[in-house]
Amino acid sequence: MSILELTNVSYAYSGTTNQVLRGVNASFEQGKLYAVMGRSGAGKSTLLSLISGLDRASSGQVNFNGHDLAKMDRDDYRARSIGVIFQGYNLLGNATAIDNVVLSMNISGVKGGDKRRKALELLEQVGIDAETASRVVLKLSGGEQQRVGIARALAHDPAVIIADEPTGNLDYDTEKQILAIFAELAHEHNKCVILVTHSKKVAAATDEIWGLNHATLTFVKENTRRDWSK
């Protein structure tokens, strides 16, 4: 069963008739890693905004677990059900990696337990050791900051994770490692992971590729042979 479904979704900016998205139909399942490809200006950021509940479709429905996002508390949805990983990381540079993850927990209303211990566990899950986790973010490499961004997105254990150009600023080896983390989150932790990318190489490492062109999202293909270690 799809956890996230878009039905005849269209979007136009207020005061205009030019549709950024038109009649989009798509479904996304837990346990899968997806790529959404499209050139600059194709509407990828708008699609992310609708999926993450930051904006509402002009027409059509975006459903999460069978519920129309337009009728849900979208603040609660963002705090509990979806994790967003930003291209520019959007971390607090003068805070430690652990503090960034704990802050996300607090904002999301995570209750009880030792939050710093849980934050360290999440950071270790994505390859950040205890020493690195205690350093301020400004002292971390781009790859390390991206890992912190992933851990922060996982702080409230969301069912859906979306990432905007998550490897765009990374070198080849770090890119492979980050893709392996996303694959593990989908296949071993049963997350629905959606990567927005312009990279054919990144898309080839996912389970399904969707293409966004001329305001329309279409299924491109299913990848049946993948190796995230190469």
Side-chain angles (χ1 to χ4, degrees):
M1 179 180 175
S2 299
I3 190 169
L4 195 64
E5 189 167 8
L6 286 74
T7 305
N8 201 29
V9 169
S10 296
Y11 182 88
Y13 293 114
S14 179
T16 71
T17 57
N18 183 36
Q19 290 185 317
V20 182
L21 297 174
R22 181 174 59 252
V24 169
N25 292 284
S27 60
F28 303 97
E29 302 175 4
Q30 288 180 267
K32 281 190 174 183
L33 176 61
Y34 298 88
V36 175
M37 297 191 69
R39 58 180 173 76
S40 179
K44 301 190 300 295
S45 295
T46 299
L47 181 66
L48 283 185
S49 293
L50 298 182
I51 290 175
S52 63
L54 289 170
D55 207 342
R56 293 176 59 173
S58 302
S59 61
Q61 286 189 359
V62 179
N63 289 342
F64 172 75
N65 262 345
H67 300 285
D68 186 355
L69 274 186
K71 299 177 181 178
M72 293 173 59
D73 182 335
R74 288 183 290 141
D75 289 335
D76 184 71
Y77 166 72
R78 289 193 298 272
R80 300 177 184 274
S81 301
I82 191 165
V84 181
I85 300 164
F86 301 94
Q87 182 178 6
Y89 313 133
N90 283 23
L91 301 169
L92 294 178
N94 291 318
T96 67
I98 289 180
D99 288 337
N100 270 272
V101 179
V102 170
L103 176 61
S104 180
M105 291 179 180
N106 291 338
I107 292 173
S108 298
V110 175
K111 304 293 184 183
D114 186 339
K115 292 181 182 178
R116 296 189 68 82
R117 180 182 61 78
K118 178 60 177 177
L120 181 57
E121 290 176 356
L122 288 171
L123 288 162
E124 290 176 337
Q125 180 182 330
V126 298
I128 296 291
D129 60 29
E131 180 181 354
T132 305
S134 298
R135 292 163 56 192
V136 290
V137 166
L138 286 176
K139 301 293 185 180
L140 303 182
S141 69
E144 289 169 336
Q145 289 188 42
Q146 187 62 289
R147 293 169 191 266
V148 176
I150 296 171
R152 182 184 60 181
L154 294 171
H156 51 288
D157 195 26
V160 178
I161 298 169
I162 58 176
D164 185 8
E165 298 285 1
T167 64
N169 300 321
L170 306 179
D171 61 72
Y172 176 69
D173 288 335
T174 305
E175 177 183 75
K176 290 191 299 181
Q177 295 165 7
I178 295 298
L179 287 174
I181 291 171
F182 285 128
E184 178 182 338
L185 290 172
H187 302 148
E188 297 183 25
H189 298 274
N190 201 37
K191 306 294 185 184
C192 172
V193 183
I194 303 171
L195 311 181
V196 170
T197 183
H198 67 275
S199 169
K200 292 181 179 179
K201 182 171 57 178
V202 169
T206 64
D207 298 309
E208 286 187 15
I209 303 176
W210 291 73
L212 189 55
N213 192 32
H214 300 299
T216 302
L217 183 68
T218 56
F219 174 75
V220 176
K221 69 174 183 176
E222 181 177 3
N223 292 321
T224 56
R225 298 183 65 184
R226 303 166 305 280
D227 187 348
W228 291 276
S229 65
K230 295 183 179 180

